[in-house]
Amino acid sequence: MPYKNPEDKKEWNKTESGIKSNRISTWKSYKGMSSQDHNWDEIYITYVSTDLCDYCDVELVEGSYGSNKKCLDHHHITGEIRGILCHTCNRRDVLS
């Protein structure tokens, strides 16, 4: 999407479309994910609608910090998406 100035891009990034686009772009940059053929729209819908960790059932929160921040868990070699986990479970690699 072309922007006339940096402020336009900042505003777009705050919209639902901008948030979704940025999230999916981030996922595609994860190790093993860029080479995989995923239905990103479907994954995003699952991600935003998941409120509890798939492993420990802790309530998930959006954000950059915290033990219960929401994470998209994936296998780093195959790119297989394994679930939506809290940061603590994702760091433990409980689904390996």
Side-chain angles (χ1 to χ4, degrees):
M1 170 176 275
Y3 308 102
K4 293 181 182 177
N5 60 58
E7 289 303 314
D8 289 345
K9 183 174 183 179
K10 285 182 184 179
E11 289 304 312
W12 183 78
N13 284 337
K14 295 176 187 176
T15 67
E16 188 172 330
S17 295
I19 292 167
K20 178 181 177 181
S21 177
N22 288 326
R23 172 75 63 196
I24 291 172
S25 292
T26 298
W27 290 338
K28 288 179 178 180
S29 72
Y30 289 169
K31 184 177 179 181
M33 296 292 278
S34 61
S35 62
Q36 300 302 311
D37 184 25
H38 294 294
N39 182 332
W40 294 108
D41 289 328
E42 195 173 295
I43 293 165
Y44 184 78
I45 290 167
T46 300
Y47 179 85
V48 297
S49 64
T50 300
D51 296 324
L52 300 175
C53 175
D54 288 340
Y55 187 75
C56 73
D57 288 331
V58 71
E59 185 176 356
L60 298 170
V61 297
E62 284 289 333
S64 300
Y65 302 100
S67 62
N68 61 332
K69 79 174 186 170
K70 193 182 286 192
C71 300
L72 179 69
D73 182 57
H74 70 286
H75 191 282
H76 287 198
I77 296 171
T78 67
E80 174 191 7
I81 294 171
R82 302 181 289 193
I84 312 300
L85 303 180
C86 67
H87 181 68
T88 300
C89 289
N90 192 48
R91 295 284 296 163
R92 280 189 203 132
D93 202 22
V94 295
L95 300 176
S96 51

